[in-house]
Amino acid sequence: MDVTTTPEWKALAAHFDEIAARHLRDFFAEDPERGMRLTAEGADLTLDYSKQRVTDETLRLLMAVARAGGVEEHRDAMFSGKHINTTEDRAVLHVALRMPPDTALVVDGQDVVADVHAVLGKMGELSERIRNGSWTGATGKRIGAVVNIGIGGSDLGPDMATTALADYAQPGLISRFVSNVDPVDLYAATHDLDPTTTLFVVSSKTFTTLETLTNAAAARDWLLQGLGPTAGEGAVAKHFVAVSTNAKGVAEFGIDPENMLEFWDWVGGRYSYDSAIGFSLMVAIGRQAFGEMLFGFHTIDEHFRTAPLEENLPVIQGMLNIWYDNFFGAETHAVLPYSHRLARFPAYLQQLTMESNGKSVRLDGTPVWGQTGEIFWGEPGTNGQHAFYQLLHQGTKLVPADFIAFAHSTHETGDQHDLLMANCLAQTKALAFGRTTEEVAADGTPARLVPHKVMPGNRPSSTIVAPKLTPSILGQLVALYEHTVFVEGTIWGIDSFDQWGVELGKVMARELAPLLTAESAPDLSGQDSSTASLARRYRALRGRTS
């Protein structure tokens, strides 16, 4: 169904015409209780959306569109295991990855929750052996460094979460991540490590991903060279764990299939770090903390599944994003965590949001009716304040923003955290209300500088507040954005769970690689003139016949 043909959408469009030019200053002046009223809570998260350019009527109309667009029905279909990933004919069950062990969800004749907890149990056993030193390498030394090799969802999620939860990690156990096929990435991760105490985790569902297998092979060479000829057969098995479904490929690589952790085709890569893909994270923070994170995920899953739409954090966020994307024409969305540990969170959200909703075709194969998939970006505060906030405050582009704030730091030092939070609150206030010509002039600003110091305000933002960045809170934040993506995709009528756009470049890379490495000049007649010219230039710079 095209939601834009519904009376609910048409009513929202008419309402937009009425209030689009109104200023947040007026909304707050007219409604002194607005800041307390336009908030919602889910689990440990509080969402203040009072600084969004909406009224009570806007919110009523947005929720009417959500209902007309089938958000509730589509949500229930996902939780029940229906094949809502229609282009790949698969269920979408990342929510099953964090269901408690005493629940059951039978999909296609299989209890997926039982399968999940069987793998979690194996992950726990292997991770404990690494953490307590009973897992030893080929020379009998305990493991001191874990290097995760993956790409996309097999890298961004566990990397982000390991950084975010560094304060909960086991001291002395190094965690590193390799994803880029650029050899510098692997070098940077391994050059100062001891091969005798290094364990690699290779994450590839099919165990055929070109970038991951290339890096894994190079890591194996590094390991064997470092161990020397006395390491003997089986050395690889003592220094590698696989996260895959391809037992044959894993064994051929030299990894003991007993050290292979399984996951399933109903887990999309960008939704997978709470599965076996997060094994390196579990090694870092331990089985208990990983479980706490899963509990946090589940609390927001349940909130999304059961809370009325008007009080439902992912629904509110998703419909506000629709409001700005499809009515105001905003093209980007900033995520601004006021936490140094969440430095990788915006990068993680880039894949989650843009790989999910960067689509131009609807479920029925017809073109979408408007723009989809905001460009997500951001940096931690206060660093961003001295970089791109200038554009947010005085630029010509409308950039809705999410600020993420915590009442407590994981490392309290005097009043530094209070100053950090003061900056966070000040920025949302300045974005919303700005500074008028009269206010600037009243400060004694010279007339010629007044226009340069005026801040127009009316820049929308939400603030998500949580007690402290813990494993549970991180799970809640990620689940919040996962379901926000779901809501948007439902309204746009797209499949948020396939990623065909990722595949074409991979296919072409496999075709082009032999042309770049061939000893004699290759036949480039089948290439376009730009690609052929670049290939010849590259070959010449590498000293190959072109």
Side-chain angles (χ1 to χ4, degrees):
M1 180 194 69
D2 183 346
V3 73
T4 63
T5 64
T6 65
E8 291 83 358
W9 184 271
K10 292 174 182 176
L12 182 62
H15 173 73
F16 171 76
D17 291 339
E18 294 172 3
I19 74 158
R22 298 201 64 198
H23 202 288
L24 281 165
R25 296 188 199 111
D26 299 326
F27 291 153
F28 275 85
E30 295 166 4
D31 181 4
E33 302 299 314
R34 178 185 174 93
M36 286 74 78
R37 198 165 43 78
L38 296 189
T39 63
E41 295 183 356
D44 297 309
L45 305 181
T46 299
L47 173 67
D48 179 337
Y49 56 98
S50 61
K51 295 187 181 77
Q52 300 286 356
R53 291 168 63 172
V54 295
T55 64
D56 289 344
E57 178 66 2
T58 314
L59 295 166
R60 185 188 71 78
L61 292 169
L62 284 171
M63 295 308 141
V65 168
R67 291 188 170 92
V71 167
E72 293 162 308
E73 294 83 357
H74 200 218
R75 173 198 63 193
D76 294 345
M78 177 181 71
F79 275 92
S80 67
K82 289 187 169 59
H83 287 211
I84 65 169
N85 179 352
T86 56
T87 68
E88 297 177 299
D89 191 23
R90 292 174 180 170
V92 174
L93 284 175
H94 47 280
V95 294
L97 297 172
R98 49 267 193 158
M99 287 182 175
D102 58 354
T103 59
L105 178 59
V106 177
V107 177
D108 300 330
Q110 186 71 22
D111 184 354
V112 297
V113 178
D115 291 344
V116 165
H117 282 276
V119 172
L120 284 171
K122 186 173 182 179
M123 290 169 62
E125 292 168 6
L126 292 179
S127 65
E128 285 174 2
R129 286 174 55 201
I130 295 165
R131 288 167 62 86
N132 66 27
S134 60
W135 181 307
T136 57
T139 64
K141 295 181 181 180
R142 70 178 293 165
I143 298 301
V146 176
V147 180
N148 188 91
I149 299 177
I151 198 165
S154 298
D155 169 79
L156 282 166
D159 187 6
M160 176 277 294
T162 302
T163 301
L165 301 177
D167 295 307
Y168 302 88
Q170 178 167 303
L173 185 58
I174 297 170
S175 297
R176 291 188 180 164
F177 294 83
V178 175
S179 59
N180 200 327
V181 76
D182 183 338
V184 173
D185 195 11
L186 181 64
Y187 168 79
T190 59
H191 75 281
D192 59 346
L193 298 182
D194 180 353
T196 66
T197 61
T198 299
L199 179 76
F200 293 96
V201 179
V202 183
S203 297
S204 173
K205 183 184 292 186
T206 62
F207 222 72
T208 59
T209 307
L210 178 63
E211 299 92 336
T212 299
L213 269 292
T214 299
N215 276 325
R220 180 178 57 190
D221 292 344
W222 173 86
L223 174 76
L224 294 175
Q225 183 177 1
L227 293 177
T230 60
E233 291 187 18
V236 171
K238 294 180 179 294
H239 291 268
F240 276 82
V241 170
V243 181
S244 183
T245 59
N246 182 358
K248 182 174 181 290
V250 167
E252 289 174 350
F253 185 87
I255 300 175
D256 186 346
E258 286 297 310
N259 297 333
M260 185 185 89
L261 298 163
E262 184 183 6
F263 63 116
W264 307 272
D265 64 6
W266 42 259
V267 182
R270 56 196 175 276
Y271 295 89
S272 69
Y273 94 78
D274 47 340
S275 72
I277 290 295
F279 177 68
S280 56
L281 170 64
M282 183 184 280
V283 174
I285 66 174
R287 189 177 197 169
Q288 180 176 338
F290 195 91
E292 292 169 4
M293 182 190 71
L294 295 181
F295 176 76
F297 270 102
H298 183 64
T299 59
I300 293 297
D301 292 344
E302 286 299 287
H303 170 79
F304 178 52
R305 188 179 68 85
T306 63
L309 299 193
E310 290 78 8
E311 302 168 18
N312 198 304
L313 270 62
V315 176
I316 294 168
Q317 281 208 153
M319 294 311 298
L320 286 172
N321 291 353
I322 295 288
W323 178 238
Y324 292 112
D325 202 346
N326 296 115
F327 288 91
F328 284 91
E331 295 184 340
T332 80
H333 190 112
V335 178
L336 309 168
Y338 276 68
S339 165
H340 183 70
R341 292 299 192 201
L342 287 179
R344 296 286 291 160
F345 194 59
Y348 171 75
L349 291 182
Q350 285 172 358
Q351 186 198 20
L352 174 64
T353 60
M354 293 195 283
E355 192 168 277
S356 294
N357 286 343
K359 312 289 170 61
S360 57
V361 176
R362 291 165 46 83
L363 288 166
D364 61 5
T366 60
V368 298
W369 41 259
Q371 67 175 16
T372 66
E374 314 98 310
I375 299 167
F376 270 70
W377 60 283
E379 278 286 325
T382 56
N383 294 8
Q385 294 176 198
H386 295 268
F388 52 79
Y389 277 45
Q390 169 64 38
L391 182 146
L392 298 184
H393 285 289
Q394 289 187 304
T396 59
K397 299 181 184 301
L398 178 70
V399 184
D402 297 341
F403 288 74
I404 302 175
F406 298 95
H408 300 278
S409 172
T410 52
H411 285 287
E412 295 281 358
T413 305
D415 61 358
Q416 272 188 262
H417 188 71
D418 295 324
L419 177 60
L420 177 69
M421 288 303 103
N423 272 273
C424 178
L425 300 184
Q427 291 296 330
T428 66
K429 180 178 180 179
L431 286 168
F433 305 112
R435 199 154 178 78
T436 65
T437 299
E438 294 75 19
E439 289 170 333
V440 174
D443 287 340
T445 303
R448 66 182 183 83
L449 291 180
V450 167
H452 299 279
K453 291 194 171 186
V454 168
M455 305 286 171
N458 214 24
R459 311 297 170 100
S461 70
S462 290
T463 304
I464 301 165
V465 182
K468 185 178 181 179
L469 181 56
T470 64
S472 175
I473 295 294
L474 180 65
Q476 293 176 43
L477 286 170
V478 174
L480 169 62
Y481 281 93
E482 286 179 345
H483 298 317
T484 298
V485 165
F486 179 94
V487 170
E488 292 181 75
T490 300
I491 296 300
W492 287 321
I494 60 178
D495 189 338
S496 297
F497 303 101
D498 62 14
Q499 56 279 332
W500 300 107
V502 176
E503 303 302 320
L504 180 59
K506 292 181 179 180
V507 172
M508 290 185 172
R510 291 190 187 97
E511 295 171 351
L512 284 169
L515 303 180
L516 300 182
T517 59
E519 292 185 12
S520 57
D523 179 5
L524 296 170
S525 60
Q527 305 298 323
D528 65 90
S529 59
S530 173
T531 303
S533 176
L534 289 168
R536 293 189 186 98
R537 177 64 59 88
Y538 175 80
R539 288 180 60 84
L541 290 170
R542 295 284 287 182
R544 295 170 185 153
T545 305
S546 58

